[in-house]
Amino acid sequence: MSAADFTELAENFPDEVVTHTVVQDVELPNGAGTMALLTLDNGMDHKRPTTLGPGALVELGRTLEALKVRAVRGEIQAVGITGKPYFFVAGADLSAVKKLDRRELGVQMAQLGHDVYTTLSSLPVPSFSFVNGLALGGGLELALHSTYRTVSTAAGALALPEAFLGLVPGWGGVYLLPRLIGPQNAVKVTIENALNNNRTLSGKAAFDLGIVDALFESADFLEQSIAWAAGVLSNDVTVDRPNAVSDPDADPDWDSAVARGRAIVEARTGNATPAPGRVLDLIEAGKTRTQAESASAECKALGDLMQTNEFHATVYAFLDLVQKRSKRPAGAPDKKLARPVTKIGVVGAGLMASQLALLFAKQLKVPVIMTDIDQERVDKGVGYVHAEVDKLLGKKRISADAANRTKALVTGSVRKEAFSDADFVIEAVFEELSVKKQVFAEVEAVVSPTCILATNTSSLSVTEMAADLDHPERLVGFHFFNPVAVMPLLEIVKVPQTEEAVLATAFAMARELQKTAVLVKDAAAFVVNRVLGRMFGEITKVFDEGTPADVADRALHPMGLPMTPFKLLALVGLPVGQHVQESLHSGFGERFHVSANQQKLIDEGIKGLWQKQDDGSEGIPEATLALMQFGTEPSSAEEVLHRTQDALADEIGRMLDEGVVAAPEDVDLCMITGAGWPLSLGGITPYLDRTGASERVNGRRFHAPGVASTPV
């Protein structure tokens, strides 16, 4: 079947931004002949990546078919493929894929890709992919179908993320990659990296694994790649692929790699979504299949998965939320109202305050001054920032000049008068309302009338903090998540008096800090901590009622959470978790359980429930168990899961009724970017819809069918 036979499929997507194939003949050096160089370009700037929808694939296929004729005639000796600046190809067009509402259309889309890529791999002359930038999914698979590959040092994102997105690498990646770099490395790329927050490879990492054959500096990448290709054609360059597998059926690592992959899927997702397992099924069977047999199985798998609720929920989370809604936050004022911020003050010099100071200096590149109650604390906070900058320098993530400039921007003082010329002052002190109100009274006495005041509180009332201010309109909640450098979410809290210019400045700062900002109403614990607090409350309550710790802690495994509740509590800190729970209990009552057993652990200085045993396993020491008292009404794991699902559906329903955020999409975005909720589950509200909890508790779904589920 030729690419022309898929014209009707392409016509079903009139809104596709087509990635065009631009052909240029290049005379290769040293008499190596003529290369037809294809540049994939959608005609847009760097904000719109090149993708492969039906129209783009049809055009690429037709171009390759024409080049096959030219190659037979002897007019060209090689074909090269590269991309527009910053992009090789960002993969299949997900906005098109999610519209494939019939299985046969999904299979046809998969078959189209295979037919086009097979045309490339079967050219009668060698083909070269010059990976100049981002190459994801179908983009990387395009390169895999070339005879040879080079990569730029500036290419910062190479991956096969399909398991993360609810699909499989459906255009040959699951067949070609294990043979090219070995099954263990292939599982690392397709499963381990994909399920680890969609981790990607740098150009160098891809070269080290053997995915590409040569690595060149970005400044003259294309020229170097063309010269290298000429060397390959003239036999002056030898290509070595030490990780390649010549006989998969005899490879002892193949089965163990698949088994390792299945263990990773179980640990990371609890097998809550089908795609990762299908990826491993294809790799496992690909050991003895022909490439054509694998292609047929890939098409079937893609057709199946495109019709699952999990895929549509994942695309909703990734495309509609992380890629789109995060860039256009609901309720954000006109950015033109934002004020310039040229100096920032941070009240406090503890760990959170120091992380904030580092982030502000590194991203905003403005002076940051920290204060605390004595010089020792101030020096420790500034020292932390300088030490972290030195770590970045040691890892070569910043230059020596940038390190020196960043360290010079962060200073400290024991006097709040140092904030007199600051445009923005944020407090990061102990979570006690009276302490924070005292801090703001002291700061307001020394700052200018236009200085914005912000609180990093995780659970306290911002409205109460504003009550005694002379200018309450200047206060805004600016809640970061720990660790600050890693977690993308920033909950921006508006109180009734907050000026639009203050709010606009907060959102503008969030963009510059590269954070995902969500506007939330001033209600106890806002979004993430309120949802987690309800979850923690249910788990600690069933534990207190007599449910064994291992049952209570592992009951939520089917949710695919990155960490069990008790382990997460230990990471957050039992005192912090208890303080937030008490705030929620005070604000909302008995729905939020405050565990007396947890308080006993805190009183005894115990950091967490689970402790490492002599044999390396985890258990609860007898001395710890002896401190606590339990009821006589244990629950099964299924009962705990069902109960927690219903509790979460109830709490999120209440939050939406209260107007804490504008829509369920904002709850999902908060949980994904602030709590690590797996995108592979598509966000928390689609998950609760799929389990039936939304309708059991609220009498309705959070989303209409087709929004984060299969179209109807």
Side-chain angles (χ1 to χ4, degrees), residues 479-495:
H479 179 217
F480 291 86
F481 288 78
N482 194 23
V484 171
V486 176
M487 300 305 291
L489 180 63
L490 179 55
E491 291 179 331
I492 295 181
V493 188
K494 178 183 179 181
V495 297

Side-chain angles (χ1 to χ4, degrees), residues 320-322 324-333 455 457 462 476-481 487-495 503 506-511 514-523 525-528 655-656 659-675:
D320 298 339
L321 301 185
V322 174
K324 294 181 180 179
R325 193 175 184 89
S326 66
K327 296 176 175 61
R328 295 186 293 273
T455 172
T457 183
V462 182
V476 66
F478 218 52
H479 179 217
F480 291 86
F481 288 78
M487 300 305 291
L489 180 63
L490 179 55
E491 291 179 331
I492 295 181
V493 188
K494 178 183 179 181
V495 297
L503 204 59
F507 276 98
M509 288 180 66
R511 282 191 296 272
Q514 298 180 6
K515 295 296 183 183
T516 297
V518 176
L519 182 64
V520 303
K521 180 182 176 182
D522 185 25
F526 316 127
V527 176
V528 172
M655 292 164 64
L656 293 170
V660 175
V661 288
E665 288 83 352
D666 292 316
V667 176
D668 292 329
L669 187 57
C670 284
M671 296 305 295
I672 289 166
T673 57

Side-chain angles (χ1 to χ4, degrees), residues 275-348:
R278 293 294 289 269
V279 173
L280 291 166
D281 291 345
L282 288 167
I283 293 176
E284 183 175 34
K287 176 180 177 181
T288 56
R289 280 175 173 160
T290 65
Q291 188 166 355
E293 289 170 341
S294 183
S296 177
E298 291 162 35
C299 291
K300 180 181 184 301
L302 278 174
D304 292 343
L305 290 169
M306 285 179 191
Q307 302 310 308
T308 62
N309 285 320
E310 289 84 358
F311 165 66
H312 285 273
T314 302
V315 172
Y316 150 83
F318 180 69
L319 191 64
D320 298 339
L321 301 185
V322 174
Q323 296 293 313
K324 294 181 180 179
R325 193 175 184 89
S326 66
K327 296 176 175 61
R328 295 186 293 273
D334 188 338
K335 61 184 179 181
K336 295 177 182 177
L337 296 174
R339 301 173 187 166
V341 175
T342 60
K343 182 178 179 179
I344 294 176
V346 179
V347 183

Side-chain angles (χ1 to χ4, degrees), residues 543 549 601 606-614 617-628 630:
F543 178 55
L601 299 182
I606 295 172
K607 304 297 184 183
L609 199 62
W610 299 110
Q611 301 293 326
K612 191 75 75 177
Q613 305 297 297
D614 292 339
S617 64
E618 290 185 325
I620 305 175
E622 289 297 327
T624 300
L625 285 172
L627 293 171
M628 299 181 284
F630 302 100

